[in-house]
Amino acid sequence: MTEDEALARAAGLGDKWLGREAEIAEAVSHARRLAGAFTHPSDERAEPIPAYVVPATKAAR
């Protein structure tokens, strides 16, 4: 079993994609390009996007 076949099976594609190796390879290549396009923080615990918080209302006087 090739890596592409294993990835297709892991994605639940299984036997439906037999004989369509070129399409699987293209999808895997595309997914790898997308994954490499995003920068990763140096600290894996860092939040990549700031948390969205509703600003506190001013206290009534």
Side-chain angles (χ1 to χ4, degrees):
M1 178 183 308
T2 66
E3 180 185 10
D4 292 346
E5 291 170 342
L7 290 171
R9 185 170 291 170
L13 299 176
D15 295 335
K16 297 175 187 175
W17 284 82
L18 286 176
R20 301 178 91 173
E21 291 82 10
E23 293 175 23
I24 293 171
E26 184 179 346
V28 168
S29 173
H30 182 68
R32 286 188 176 140
R33 280 194 313 272
L34 282 176
F38 295 96
T39 58
H40 300 284
S42 57
D43 181 3
E44 61 187 34
R45 296 170 295 162
E47 186 174 352
I49 299 174
Y52 293 97
V53 194
V54 176
T57 58
K58 295 182 179 179
R61 293 181 190 206

